[in-house]
Amino acid sequence: ASASDQGPVGFVFAMVLGALFTTVFSWLLSIGIELAGMQFLWKERGVLHSRDLVREDLGYITDAPHSLIVPDTVSFAHDLIATVAIPFERLGVMGFYERTHAAALAAQTTSTASVGPGGKAGVASALKRTAAQSNLMLATVGVVALYTAQDTALRLAIVVFAMPAFVLACLLGAVDGLMRRDLRKWGGGRESSFIYHHAKATTYLALGGGFGLYLAWPTGGFNPAYMVLVFTALVAWSLSLTLSSFKKYL
């Protein structure tokens, strides 16, 4: 059903479900991007890249320690990443990674020190090295999942902290759009459903697409203040255009 066919409860439920789906999808996408980047872009940094993203976003939150929604954003952020880490700690992800990393290094050293690849000893060494590398790959996925989950949670918190700016942008766009609609209505302006539907789609894209893009952004150096500035301006403009082009007579 379209948004116009939904009641307020259904609309809120659809928004919450959409935000949840976007968050989970962004987290899974971030894991894939991190694993691919470890193979091609930041191979020498490994899992440290995803860990550094968490530290960088914590730094951005530290630079803005207060919000209208959360009085102490720094404490909230640290509590949030600690909570996100609980399931991974119970699964022993970090300990498993440390053990498999040490085992992979030991297997590599043993293989290098062995003389001649042939015979049972050579086959056993190769099998041991393959098993160690497989375990290390599995452990690496777990650690990357942990760090990307923490980073996704931090970025989600930053979005929540910036929500007053989005609300003000929506109010500004709504007031401006309704005023221009009244001017068009009483001035005999032209009706254009084409502009209305495309502006409406742009509004949804600015809200949902920008939200998902920020959560899955794979590299550092992206100050969330720029995200807030760009997407609040885009939301205000597209909402204003949507309401100004809405049909003159109901």
Side-chain angles (χ1 to χ4, degrees), residues 14-39:
M15 290 290 291
V16 172
L17 192 62
L20 180 62
F21 173 80
T22 302
T23 302
V24 173
F25 178 77
S26 299
W27 173 50
L28 296 176
L29 181 60
S30 297
I31 294 175
I33 292 173
E34 280 293 328
L35 293 175
M38 288 170 60
Q39 295 297 321

Side-chain angles (χ1 to χ4, degrees), residues 52-225:
D52 291 343
L53 288 180
V54 176
R55 292 182 175 179
E56 183 179 88
D57 283 329
L58 278 174
Y60 289 135
I61 293 177
T62 303
D63 292 338
H66 303 292
S67 168
L68 292 177
I69 297 178
V70 178
D72 188 351
T73 60
V74 178
S75 296
F76 180 85
H78 282 90
D79 292 340
L80 181 62
I81 61 174
T83 302
V84 170
I86 290 176
F88 296 92
E89 291 174 352
R90 291 182 177 176
L91 290 173
V93 170
M94 292 302 299
F96 180 55
Y97 175 77
E98 292 172 358
R99 292 192 302 271
T100 54
H101 186 69
L105 289 178
Q108 185 67 32
T109 302
T110 303
S111 175
T112 303
S114 63
V115 179
K120 294 182 179 180
V123 173
S125 177
L127 290 176
K128 184 177 180 180
R129 186 173 66 256
T130 301
Q133 290 295 331
S134 299
N135 289 334
L136 179 59
M137 182 179 299
L138 179 61
T140 299
V141 173
V143 173
V144 168
L146 165 61
Y147 286 138
T148 53
Q150 289 179 323
D151 192 52
T152 300
L154 286 177
R155 294 187 180 193
L156 183 61
I158 291 173
V159 171
V160 174
F161 298 157
M163 198 58 66
F166 281 99
V167 172
L168 288 177
C170 289
L171 289 175
L172 178 63
V175 170
D176 181 70
L178 290 174
M179 181 187 68
R180 291 198 293 153
R181 176 180 176 270
D182 277 346
L183 291 175
R184 182 172 58 88
K185 175 180 179 180
W186 299 110
R190 179 175 172 270
E191 196 88 10
S192 177
S193 60
F194 175 84
I195 295 177
Y196 168 75
H197 288 294
H198 281 75
K200 182 179 178 182
T202 303
T203 303
Y204 290 147
L205 181 63
L207 286 171
F211 171 65
L213 177 63
Y214 173 62
L215 290 183
W217 190 259
T219 60
F222 186 79
N223 194 320

